Amino acid sequence: MNADEIEAGRARWQARYDAAMARGPRKEHRTLSGLEVAPVYGPEGDDPRFERVGWPGEYPYTRGLYATGYRGRPWTIRQFAGFGNARQTNERYKMILRNGGGGLSVAFDMPTLMGRDSDDPHALGEVGHCGVAVDSAADMDVLFDGIPLGEVTTSMTISGPAVPIFCMYLVAAERQGVPAARLNGTLQTDIFKEYIAQKEWLFPPQPHLRLIGDLMEYCVAEIPAYKPLSVSGYHIREAGATAAQELAFTLADGFGYVELGLSRGLDVDVFAPGLSFFFDAHIDFFEEIAKFRAARRIWARWMRDVYGARTEKARWLRFHTQTAGVSLTAQQPDNNIVRTAIEALAAVLGGTNSLHTNALDEVLALPSEKAAEIALRTQQVIMEETEVVNVVDPLGGSWYVEALTDRLEAEAEAIFTKIRDMGGDGTMTSGILRGIEDGWFTTEIAESAFDYQRKLEKGDKKIVGVNCHTSTVEQPLEILRISHEVEREQHRTLAARRAVRDRAALDGALAALVAAARSDRNVIPPMLDAVRAEATLGEICDALREEWGTYSEPARF
């Protein structure tokens, strides 16, 4: 790109920046020593690389979606939380919001994630242990008691039973008097990554995709601000994938959901803004920054050139980040505070839109209140004290970061080609489904995880407190323990709720849901009716399991 083109881009950026900043108070941005800093920096003269880098707020969005960066609005602090029952988690949510959290992110327990009620025999010993137990809309009422759902954005990390859980959230909002059209938040719903990495599915792939398609249609028509799909690379990375694999598998899944929306006759410029992403921030500082920058650029190009998106918002890749749980160590757990801070800073310098920071004790148990506060304060120190919010994409133009961004993009593109070739018809969806059925994704991740473990055991990869610098003065941590009384109480509460339901209304609502599942009608309206009749999560999911069957992963070595 020559100097004239670069200056023309700078002028476009300046106009966008001035227009955005005119809507709020102006303030000086200086270093700690008092040096004034500009909102963005770029080349002075010719730079052949700059076409791929560009200015913030314009295609290809390598440097971020907004001309103002974090000067205009900082990232949302969205701490992932959930444990025990809905009442206990509600108290934690109020603590997070009271202490500066900008939104909520719900962690569900394993029975809920698998579409089981708390009194299901499969749930024994698991209720409330890795998240909050939610059996019906009544639990959702308690979970958000005193929290105005029309004002607080809420993310829910659940995929297999995401649609009935979403319906319970909608009914809880109704009971607060909040119209659905006012709701804003994100539902994970990403079933591809379940087959690829996390393994928490309910049905075979096609019924799950049908549910997701119905949800996309419903949200486009009824809840335009809500994002019904958060395409998750986090769980893929935590399973052992490399940064390039996380990037490629995640974006490929996203392209699959774009193809699903198009197959439903939806306008890509209308439904694509409802897709968001969820990435891992691992410990390799610069690689993670480059990964986030490459993700925006790849998504924008494919949305424009392959799927025909015409509007900016349809080309934007918006993403939430969580620091790497897999990087935390049980040995010398206080070191996890440092790891989390470094990973969080990488997410911020990569331009994340929202962020969760892990607690130091999450490798051992659900976070204690003290550890949760430290995790929250980690973000606030970065936001309020480091001044990294002053400049948009401050590492843009770094020879190392730009080379790494290009390298990760090239590796991702090579993986896209492999996936599409597997399908045989040129679509990403067919390639993903074939890769799931053949175990290709699982094998690729397993080989990467094995290679990492071998380096760790040989000492080629160092982890402080684990295979180097192991002497310590640490004392045992006091961790959060979930009492078995939580499970017994949930059983009693669930039994009492079942006893007072209108059985005829419940049976009729479940029958209507099954009838819709057998037809080509959208299942969201009858599922909402079942939830209003206090159908439990297990009852809804069991009715659909009976209709659609279950899925078992083929055995492989």
Side-chain angles (χ1 to χ4, degrees):
M1 185 175 285
N2 63 42
D4 290 342
E5 292 170 321
I6 289 171
E7 285 308 305
R10 188 190 296 273
R12 289 194 305 273
W13 165 82
Q14 188 70 57
R16 286 186 178 213
Y17 177 84
D18 290 342
M21 296 302 286
R23 295 192 288 268
R26 300 299 292 265
K27 59 174 284 190
E28 289 187 333
H29 294 270
R30 295 180 179 273
T31 69
L32 193 61
S33 303
L35 302 177
E36 189 171 357
V37 294
V40 74
Y41 290 85
E44 304 291 339
D46 294 353
D47 190 329
R49 305 172 304 168
F50 204 65
E51 185 176 2
R52 298 174 59 74
V53 179
W55 296 98
E58 66 177 35
Y59 186 89
Y61 308 109
T62 311
R63 307 192 70 184
L65 305 180
Y66 308 107
T68 57
Y70 296 133
R71 282 195 182 192
R73 178 185 173 185
W75 67 91
T76 299
I77 298 175
R78 190 182 299 282
Q79 290 298 95
F80 187 47
F83 66 95
N85 59 33
R87 175 183 50 77
Q88 292 169 311
T89 298
N90 174 265
E91 292 170 1
R92 177 64 61 87
Y93 288 165
K94 288 175 178 174
M95 182 277 285
I96 290 171
L97 293 172
R98 195 166 54 244
N99 284 280
L104 298 176
S105 182
V106 184
F108 297 96
D109 70 358
M110 187 56 68
T112 306
L113 291 170
M114 299 305 297
R116 304 281 182 183
D117 289 335
S118 294
D119 59 359
D120 188 303
H122 292 88
L124 183 64
E126 294 291 341
V127 175
H129 278 268
C130 70
V132 62
V134 173
D135 291 315
S136 70
D139 283 316
M140 203 68 84
D141 292 338
V142 176
L143 187 65
F144 294 112
D145 180 49
I147 297 171
L149 291 178
E151 300 171 20
V152 176
T153 62
T154 302
S155 168
M156 293 186 285
T157 302
I158 192 166
S159 292
V163 177
I165 284 290
F166 172 73
C167 289
M168 292 177 188
Y169 168 76
L170 290 186
V171 170
E174 280 179 8
R175 292 170 178 174
Q176 285 191 5
V178 178
R182 281 184 56 198
L183 295 174
N184 197 344
T186 304
L187 188 68
Q188 189 165 96
T189 327
D190 177 6
I191 206 62
F192 283 143
K193 65 90 176 172
E194 297 296 344
Y195 297 111
I196 290 170
Q198 198 171 24
K199 314 301 183 184
E200 292 169 3
W201 57 75
L202 273 60
F203 318 114
Q206 290 301 338
H208 269 303
L209 290 175
R210 182 261 175 91
L211 276 175
I212 294 169
D214 285 356
L215 180 65
M216 292 169 70
E217 286 184 352
Y218 188 85
C219 288
V220 163
E222 304 292 336
I223 321 175
Y226 196 85
K227 297 169 186 61
L229 256 166
S230 174
V231 190
S232 176
Y234 184 84
H235 307 90
I236 292 169
R237 188 65 177 281
E238 294 284 292
T242 65
Q245 287 171 331
E246 178 196 1
L247 176 63
F249 295 171
T250 307
L251 294 188
D253 290 350
F255 298 143
Y257 295 124
V258 171
E259 292 172 358
L260 174 63
L262 292 172
S263 76
R264 291 295 190 101
L266 299 176
D267 184 339
V268 68
D269 289 309
V270 175
F271 78 79
L275 302 177
S276 65
F277 289 81
F278 175 22
F279 288 112
D280 198 299
H282 219 298
I283 197 65
D284 189 322
F285 186 71
F286 289 106
E287 184 173 58
E288 296 304 291
I289 295 167
K291 179 186 75 182
F292 300 134
R293 299 171 85 251
R296 279 192 297 269
R297 187 159 77 198
I298 294 168
W299 184 256
R301 186 176 66 254
W302 276 67
M303 291 303 293
R304 185 190 70 176
D305 298 346
V306 178
Y307 298 114
R310 299 176 301 278
T311 65
E312 279 196 331
K313 287 188 176 180
R315 299 173 186 173
W316 282 356
L317 182 143
R318 286 170 287 196
F319 68 97
H320 172 72
T321 310
Q322 181 173 339
T323 57
V326 75
S327 72
L328 306 180
T329 66
Q331 301 92 329
Q332 301 179 19
D334 286 349
N335 296 342
N336 295 331
I337 300 173
V338 181
R339 294 185 179 104
T340 295
I342 291 167
E343 292 162 359
L345 184 58
V348 169
L349 293 177
T352 193
N353 301 105
S354 64
L355 179 61
H356 165 88
T357 32
N358 288 327
L360 69 99
D361 55 0
E362 283 188 64
V363 69
L364 299 168
L366 291 169
S368 66
E369 189 164 4
K370 178 180 178 182
E373 183 178 84
I374 292 171
L376 175 64
R377 298 296 184 226
T378 299
Q379 292 202 49
Q380 291 168 331
V381 168
I382 293 172
M383 184 182 290
E384 305 293 351
E385 297 185 28
T386 64
E387 305 296 351
V388 293
V389 298
N390 281 353
V391 177
V392 190
D393 188 36
L395 293 177
S398 156
W399 292 337
Y400 178 42
V401 170
E402 298 301 350
L404 207 49
T405 302
D406 291 347
R407 176 66 183 273
L408 285 168
E409 181 178 12
E411 290 199 22
E413 290 289 347
I415 293 171
F416 296 152
T417 299
K418 286 182 183 178
I419 294 172
R420 292 217 289 186
D421 288 348
M422 282 192 291
D425 65 358
T427 67
M428 197 67 80
T429 304
S430 294
I432 293 167
L433 293 172
R434 181 62 182 271
I436 290 167
E437 192 62 34
D438 290 350
W440 181 80
F441 291 104
T442 303
T443 300
E444 291 290 299
I445 294 171
E447 288 180 356
S448 296
F450 177 72
D451 182 59
Y452 178 85
Q453 184 64 26
R454 186 170 50 191
K455 290 175 181 175
L456 189 63
E457 292 176 1
K458 289 171 63 179
D460 295 337
K461 168 62 181 172
K462 304 292 187 186
I463 298 182
V464 174
V466 176
N467 63 357
C468 65
H469 310 297
T470 55
S471 60
T472 182
V473 296
E474 69 177 356
Q475 300 296 316
L477 279 177
E478 288 291 328
I479 62 174
L480 178 67
R481 300 185 187 277
I482 305 301
S483 168
H484 188 59
E485 180 57 30
V486 168
E487 186 164 327
R488 289 194 290 262
E489 182 184 344
Q490 195 72 10
H491 285 192
R492 291 191 295 268
T493 301
L494 188 52
R497 289 171 181 165
R498 284 192 175 119
V500 298
R501 296 183 301 184
D502 182 334
R503 191 71 216 187
L506 173 66
D507 290 344
L510 288 173
L513 172 61
V514 172
R518 289 175 180 166
S519 72
D520 59 0
R521 289 183 288 123
N522 193 301
V523 300
I524 306 297
M527 192 176 291
L528 280 167
D529 288 338
V531 168
R532 293 182 185 111
E534 290 299 328
T536 67
L537 179 63
E539 289 166 343
I540 292 169
C541 293
D542 284 346
L544 294 176
R545 284 186 183 102
E546 189 171 336
E547 180 64 27
W548 288 335
T550 58
Y551 177 77
S552 295
E553 190 173 35
R556 298 181 187 88
F557 293 99

